[in-house]
Amino acid sequence: MAARIVAQAKTFGASLAGMVSITALERAPSYATCGLVPRLAGAGSLLVLALVHKHSQPQLDWWDDRKGGTPGNRRMEETAINLARWLGRKMRVEAHLLPYHMERGGVFLKDAAVLAGLGIIGRNNLLVTPDYGPRIRLRAMLVEVEVDPPETPDFDPCARCCVPCTRACPREAFAQASYHRPSCAAQMKHDEANKIRVPGVEEATGQLPCVPYCRACELACPVAR
Ligand code: B12
C-alpha cells in the first residue's frame, strides 16, 4: 500500500515521497528538544512530500503574501489535493494535508522525512537526500493507513565532506559544533527587510514584493549538485 501511495504522489508532481507511522514520529528528536508531542492522536501515518528546488529556479522559494507562501509550496499543496482525492476515490482511504507551521498543527518536517527514509540530517542541519541534496522543500499529509518502517538508507555524505555548507553562512551559524538558531534567524530578519520585485515563475508572484530567504548553507552542499 505504502509503495503504491508513494508512486502516485510522484505522478502528481512530488520529487520524492515516503511514509512513516505516527508512533515513530512521537520519538523524533525535535519533539524532545522542543518539549512537544505531535498533535496527531490515534492511528495512521504521515506521507512526506518533497519538491526539488533547484539552484536554477530560485523563484520557487520566494515568499510572497499570497496563500501558500511560495510557488513551490503551492505546487506541493496541489499535489496533496490531487492525492487526497485519488486516495479517497481509488483506495477508500482518508487523507488530508497538514499545516506547514508547527503552531497551526504542523509536524517537524525534517524529522518526519528522515524517519520516512528520504535522507539524513546533514552538517548544515538540513535534510540531505541522495537525489537532490538539501535542495528540496517538504510538506506532510495525514493518511489513515498503517505502514511498516522504511529501510534505512546507506547514506552518510557529510562523513567524508569538507562541509563547505558550514563556511558559507553569512552569520557564522555553524562556527560552533552545532547550528546556532539565533544567528540564522537574524539573517532571515535581514532578508525580510530586503524584499524584491522580479518577474517570477508565477505571474502574480512577479508582481508582488517577495522575500528571497538566504539559502547559503543549502546551496553550498555538493551532494547531487
Ligand atoms: C522554524 C523554522 C525555521 C527557523 C528556525 C530553524 C531551526 N532549525 O531551528 C528559521 C527561520 C531560522 C529557519 C531557517 C531556515 N529554514 Co526553516 N523551518 C522552520 C520550520 C517551520 C520548523 C523547524 C523547527 O522549528 N525545528 C525544530 C528545531 C529545534 O530543530 P532543528 O534545529 O531543525 O534540529 C533538529 C533536527 O536536526 C533533528 N535531527 C537531528 N539529527 C536527527 C536524526 C534523526 C534520525 C532525526 C529523525 C532527526 C534529527 O533534531 C534536531 C532537534 O533536536 C520548518 C518547517 C517544519 N514544519 O518543520 C522549516 C524548514 C526546516 N526550513 C527549511 C529551510 C529550507 C530553511 C532555510 C534554508 C531558509 C529558507 N530559505 O527557507 C534556513 C536553514 C536553517 C538551517 N540550516 O537549519 C526547510 C528545510 C528543507 C531541508 N532540506 O531540510 C523546512 C523543512 C521548510 C520547508 N519549506 O520545507 N527555519
Side-chain angles (χ1 to χ4, degrees), residues 28-30 33-34 61 63 100-102 106-111 114-115 121 124-128 134-138 174 179 181 184-185 188 213-215 217-218:
S30 288
T33 303
C34 299
D61 199 40
W63 287 79
Y100 170 85
H101 291 102
M102 297 303 301
V107 293
F108 287 115
L109 289 167
K110 289 185 293 182
D111 291 53
V114 172
L115 296 170
I121 301 293
N124 54 7
N125 194 39
L126 293 171
L127 176 79
V128 181
R135 296 170 298 282
I136 47 153
R137 295 294 176 267
L138 304 165
F174 302 96
Y179 164 76
R181 182 174 179 153
C184 181
M188 302 290 131
Y213 282 111
C214 175
R215 298 175 69 189
C217 61
E218 180 192 0

Side-chain angles (χ1 to χ4, degrees), residues 58-66 69-72 74 188-214:
Q59 302 92 327
L60 277 182
D61 199 40
W62 289 350
W63 287 79
D64 55 44
D65 286 334
R66 293 177 60 207
T70 68
R74 288 190 277 273
M188 302 290 131
K189 281 258 168 289
H190 170 84
D191 298 336
E192 283 162 13
N194 288 281
K195 292 188 177 184
I196 54 167
R197 266 176 216 268
V198 186
V201 280
E202 279 178 20
E203 214 175 286
T205 296
Q207 292 156 7
L208 290 169
C210 306
V211 183
Y213 282 111
C214 175

